[in-house]
């Protein structure tokens, strides 16, 4: 049986007393797979995971995706995407300033990730919290007439658009990277494929347009929904400690990394992303 405590009144649990480095915990990991559908986010603290074990645990949630920015798959295991401000031999070991916008992982592909497993290898003593927002709670709190007015709208998600905004000072995407990430259309409200619960499916910088609305109206709607979605009552703020593993459901949460003193402190995070299905 899992020992849990809530992280937020509406979503998220911490599981205590679990050593995921031990292969005997596989049965517990399979329980986490089920709990994720219900709780949207799971924290397990105090882990000492090898890269192989991180990938092994992640695979129990489903097939794993590899990130289009191959230069940050630096651990020797291509399933691990490194987020970091650290450079070794003059080269960044991970993508710095990744995810400093509200988003759900890989929403810019036709079949976005169902979930991510982010492991804290090294974290600053202050700053660099990650914020998580429940898109179930956000959708359910909207007035019924607003729910009805957005229920059948769709939006175009663009990786090239996001990259251009987030990493304007870097080399542009290569032709191959662009070819791997064409713009995609997803509903603004999606259904959780396991529970049937509805959630908002929005995001900052990643959505290029709301389809079927004049640009000004679409942008204003998106802005309003994004602001609503990250209202304090839907948000859990995580203060990282080394050895924390957070597993979240990308189908019904958004998250946003926050800045830190990146010239003073090192941050190394390892992320795996589990394949998902087309949102509906
Ligand atoms: C992410 O956007 O997946 C990473 C969040 C973080 O680095 O805290």
């Amino acid at each position: 049986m899992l020992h849990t405590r809530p992280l937020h009144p509406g979503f998220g649990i911490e599981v205590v007393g679990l050593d995921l480095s031990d292969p005997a915990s596989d049965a517990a990991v399979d329980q986490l797979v089920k709990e994720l559908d219900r709780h949207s986010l799971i924290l397990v603290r105090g882990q000492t995971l090898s890269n192989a074990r991180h990938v092994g645990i992640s695979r129990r949630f489903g097939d794993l995706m590899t990130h289009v920015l191959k230069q940050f798959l630096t651990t020797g295991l291509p399933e691990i995407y490194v987020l970091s401000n650290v450079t070794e031999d003059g080269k960044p070991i991970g993508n710095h300033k990744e995810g400093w916008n509200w988003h759900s992982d890989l929403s810019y592909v036709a079949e976005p990730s169902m979930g991510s497993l982010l492991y804290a290898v090294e974290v600053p003593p202050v700053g660099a919290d990650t914020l998580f927002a429940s898109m179930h709670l956000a959708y359910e709190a909207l007035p019924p007439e607003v729910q009805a007015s957005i229920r059948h709208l769709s939006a175009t998600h663009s990786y090239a658009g996001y990259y251009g905004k987030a990493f304007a000072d870097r080399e542009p995407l290569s032709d191959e990277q662009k070819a791997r990430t064409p713009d995609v259309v997803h509903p603004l409200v999606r259904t959780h494929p396991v529970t049937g619960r509805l959630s908002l499916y929005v995001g900052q910088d990643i959505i290029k347009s709301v389809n079927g609305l004049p640009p000004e109206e679409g942008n204003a709607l998106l802005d309003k929904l994004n602001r609503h979605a990250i209202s304090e009552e839907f948000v859990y703020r995580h203060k990282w400690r080394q050895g924390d593993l957070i597993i979240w459901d990308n189908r019904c949460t958004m998250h946003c990394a926050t800045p830190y003193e990146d010239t003073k402190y090192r941050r190394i995070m390892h992320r795996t992303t589990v394949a998902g299905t087309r949102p509906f």
Side-chain angles (χ1 to χ4, degrees):
M1 207 183 76
L2 296 175
H3 297 284
T4 66
R5 52 183 171 226
L7 290 173
H8 177 281
F11 74 111
I13 52 169
E14 178 179 357
V15 175
V16 292
L18 192 56
D19 175 7
L20 293 170
S21 67
D22 181 353
S25 67
D26 279 356
V29 176
D30 293 343
Q31 274 181 275
L32 297 184
V33 174
K34 293 202 180 83
E35 293 300 324
L36 189 63
D37 293 329
R38 206 146 66 90
H39 296 289
S40 310
L41 181 146
I42 299 171
L43 163 67
V44 197
R45 290 210 194 257
Q47 301 303 303
T48 46
L49 299 181
S50 65
N51 293 334
R53 183 66 186 154
H54 181 186
V55 169
I57 291 166
S58 305
R59 283 219 176 94
R60 299 189 86 82
F61 286 78
D63 291 339
L64 301 184
M65 303 168 87
T66 51
H67 202 277
V68 66
L69 300 181
K70 287 191 191 132
Q71 65 271 37
F72 303 123
L73 311 178
T74 53
T75 67
L77 294 180
E79 296 87 352
I80 294 179
Y81 179 54
V82 182
L83 300 110
S84 184
N85 62 334
V86 174
T87 52
E88 276 172 13
D89 301 326
K91 276 196 178 164
I93 64 161
N95 196 0
H96 186 30
K97 301 191 179 175
E98 173 70 298
W100 289 20
N101 62 315
W102 281 98
H103 66 286
S104 75
D105 288 335
L106 277 64
S107 77
Y108 51 80
V109 300
E111 297 189 337
S113 161
M114 67 75 82
S116 303
L117 292 90
L118 186 63
Y119 180 56
V121 178
E122 197 173 332
V123 291
V126 283
D129 300 346
T130 306
L131 309 175
F132 294 89
S134 165
M135 294 299 96
H136 283 322
L137 297 181
Y139 178 75
E140 289 159 4
L142 286 170
E145 63 279 10
V146 177
Q147 290 179 345
S149 70
I150 60 168
R151 182 82 171 77
H152 301 290
L153 288 177
S154 63
T156 299
H157 295 230
S158 169
Y159 185 65
Y162 161 69
Y163 188 94
K165 281 182 200 154
F167 307 124
D169 53 340
R170 301 208 192 148
E171 258 195 41
L173 291 173
S174 67
D175 288 345
E176 192 223 329
Q177 287 165 330
K178 281 190 207 149
R180 268 191 66 189
T181 52
D183 290 357
V184 292
V185 173
H186 293 311
L188 266 189
V189 178
R190 68 180 291 188
T191 313
H192 196 287
V194 180
T195 64
R197 214 171 151 193
L198 298 178
S199 60
L200 273 181
Y201 199 46
V202 288
Q204 290 170 339
D205 297 339
I206 209 116
I207 295 187
K208 195 159 118 179
S209 56
V210 177
N211 301 320
L213 293 183
E216 235 173 70
E217 204 183 314
N219 291 341
L221 173 66
L222 188 61
D223 190 47
K224 192 172 130 192
L225 292 175
N226 272 328
R227 274 188 286 114
H228 166 77
I230 59 170
S231 307
E232 218 174 293
E233 66 263 40
F234 312 136
V235 172
Y236 163 67
R237 172 183 281 269
H238 186 66
K239 293 188 177 300
W240 292 96
R241 290 185 213 148
Q242 188 175 317
D244 284 357
L245 176 73
I246 294 195
I247 307 163
W248 65 82
D249 189 331
N250 280 309
R251 299 166 296 189
C252 56
T253 61
M254 285 204 290
H255 56 280
C256 180
T258 59
Y260 58 101
E261 284 190 70
D262 58 358
T263 51
K264 187 166 171 190
Y265 300 122
R266 287 159 54 104
R267 186 176 194 253
I268 305 175
M269 308 293 284
H270 285 181
R271 192 185 82 195
T272 52
T273 35
V274 184
T277 50
R278 186 174 273 274
F280 63 97

